[in-house]
Amino acid sequence: ADSSIPAALAQLRQQGLVDEAVILSTCNRVELYVATSLPAQDAVAGLRKFLLDSHGLSEPLDNIFYTHAEPHSVEHLFKVASGLDS
């Protein structure tokens, strides 16, 4: 829910997973865009755990997670936000 986004962002920062983050929610997906000082592998693992824990899930659900790094992440963000990729 939109009302839970500020708390989720605060929790990501408190856990030390991100320095900055944006949560983008559309009708059929939720995406995290983050800046972090963690190594990429550690950041991805921590973010997956955060998503699973915050929704009470216990399986890795690898088929629904994907990652992009710069510059592809920025391009993907603009496509999603503008409705070109939905």
Side-chain angles (χ1 to χ4, degrees):
D2 288 345
S3 61
S4 64
I5 290 176
L9 291 170
Q11 187 177 7
L12 285 168
R13 286 190 304 271
Q14 289 170 353
Q15 291 180 8
L17 290 172
V18 304
D19 299 321
E20 300 177 41
V22 171
I23 297 177
L24 176 65
S25 179
T26 67
C27 57
N28 63 355
R29 73 172 93 189
V30 173
E31 297 188 354
L32 299 175
Y33 292 85
V34 306
T36 182
S37 56
L38 295 174
Q41 185 175 355
D42 295 343
V44 169
L47 291 168
R48 284 183 184 207
K49 182 175 179 352
F50 169 81
L51 288 170
L52 291 170
D53 291 349
S54 66
H55 293 287
L57 303 172
S58 59
E59 298 179 29
L61 304 174
D62 288 332
N63 60 332
I64 64 168
F65 289 109
Y66 57 88
T67 61
H68 294 290
E70 287 186 299
H72 304 292
S73 57
V74 175
E75 182 179 326
H76 179 75
L77 170 62
F78 283 110
K79 284 182 180 179
V80 172
S82 68
L84 294 174
D85 182 355
S86 61

